[in-house]
Amino acid sequence: MLTINKVDVGYEAGKPVLSNISFSINPDDRIALLGANGNGKSTLIKLIAGSLEPMNEDGSGRISRDGKLRIGYFDQNQSDELEVTSTAYETLRAAIRGLEESKIRAMLGKFGFDRSKSDTKIAELSGGEKARLLFCMMSYNAPHIMLLDEPTNHLDIDARGALIQALNGYEGCIILVSHDPHLVEAVADQLFLVKDGVVKPYDDDLKAYRQLVMDQRKKERSNAKKEKKKKKQKAS
């Protein structure tokens, strides 16, 4: 469905966040992106979504997409962009123009919005309810790829369980960024590590990844202590 070939991507010209990205995405892939905050996971998601384009200075980076490809994109920060004075129904109606009211309300009902809740203003919805509304908006046109960037941040335990069940019943491709190990283990069957400006398959399991993160944090703390000691010695 989508192939990325030797792509550099970032936000500032000449300063890519990720370099030489190359991999293909297939219709039934279930991929989780691993890596510390700030390493470029969300940047990669935005590249796949089409929000960012290749920035290779020599023009060599290429992205090939199927002409009929539909992508659904959930970003943990999208709830901040919802119009707070609109209702959940009005928000979905604006996103799906031309669909009759009964069908829009039926779609909202599948995500836990009865008529009363559908007519509640965004400002009065909880974080979890806003997240469910975003899931509804993302999935209404049956996307071939779902991009999920920290989807469980505002969900309670029951809602997380329902999300896992829904994702496992979904027949398309899922690319997931999450610090929730249970969600990753339940949904993903491929792991990609985003680290040091590089994206590569990670062949170990989550247990090995957690150990890798712990070792990295220990090393960072040790280095910080050494630097602090050096500064004290120079000052004295």
Side-chain angles (χ1 to χ4, degrees):
M1 292 191 296
L2 187 148
T3 299
I4 301 173
N5 187 34
K6 297 182 179 179
V7 167
D8 298 344
V9 64
Y11 305 92
E12 188 177 346
K15 296 183 179 179
V17 175
L18 300 171
S19 300
N20 200 32
I21 309 166
S22 293
F23 64 90
S24 295
I25 298 172
N26 298 306
D28 57 353
D29 281 346
R30 301 297 172 103
I31 300 169
L33 304 179
L34 307 178
N37 288 340
N39 276 12
K41 300 188 300 296
S42 294
T43 300
L44 179 57
I45 287 281
K46 290 174 182 175
L47 176 70
I48 296 168
S51 302
L52 292 174
E53 294 295 332
M55 59 181 294
N56 303 59
E57 293 184 350
D58 61 1
S60 60
R62 291 284 184 272
I63 298 181
S64 301
R65 290 183 174 88
D66 185 291
K68 297 181 180 179
L69 180 64
R70 295 188 301 274
I71 296 177
Y73 179 24
F74 177 91
D75 179 357
Q76 59 179 324
N77 299 314
Q78 285 173 325
S79 59
D80 298 332
E81 299 171 9
L82 294 172
E83 177 53 60
V84 295
T85 59
S86 296
T87 66
Y89 167 74
E90 290 168 341
T91 301
L92 187 58
R93 184 185 64 187
I96 316 173
R97 299 187 182 278
L99 198 64
E100 59 192 69
E101 179 177 344
S102 60
K103 291 184 178 179
I104 293 175
R105 291 193 181 277
M107 290 172 62
L108 285 165
K110 292 179 181 179
F111 286 82
F113 288 88
D114 58 19
R115 189 175 188 92
S116 174
K117 190 60 72 173
S118 296
D119 292 331
T120 299
K121 293 188 182 299
I122 300 297
E124 299 171 20
L125 297 179
S126 68
E129 287 167 340
K130 290 176 185 175
R132 283 193 277 117
L133 176 59
L134 289 172
F135 286 130
C136 184
M137 293 170 66
M138 177 187 72
S139 61
Y140 79 89
N141 66 342
H144 303 105
I145 300 176
M146 283 195 185
L147 305 174
L148 305 174
D149 194 350
E150 298 292 355
T152 59
N153 278 5
H154 299 291
L155 302 184
D156 59 25
I157 293 175
D158 289 341
R160 290 183 187 198
L163 175 63
I164 289 171
Q165 185 176 1
L167 292 177
N168 284 333
Y170 167 66
E171 294 182 355
C173 168
I174 293 171
I175 301 178
L176 170 69
V177 174
S178 178
H179 287 95
D180 182 344
H182 178 60
L183 176 65
V184 172
E185 288 175 328
V187 173
D189 55 21
Q190 296 182 62
L191 303 176
F192 278 45
L193 182 61
V194 183
K195 182 182 177 184
D196 299 330
V198 176
V199 181
K200 59 183 180 181
Y202 184 73
D203 296 326
D204 262 320
D205 57 16
L206 280 179
K207 183 178 179 181
Y209 172 69
R210 284 193 287 266
Q211 186 61 51
L212 179 70
V213 171
M214 289 172 61
D215 292 343
Q216 183 178 339
R217 287 175 179 167
K218 285 179 183 178
K219 185 177 179 180
E220 288 171 355
R221 286 195 296 268
S222 176
N223 290 338
K225 286 180 181 178
K226 288 177 182 177
E227 284 297 318
K228 192 174 181 181
K229 188 175 180 180
K230 284 181 182 178
K231 288 179 181 179
K232 282 184 178 180
Q233 289 174 344
K234 287 181 180 179
S236 59

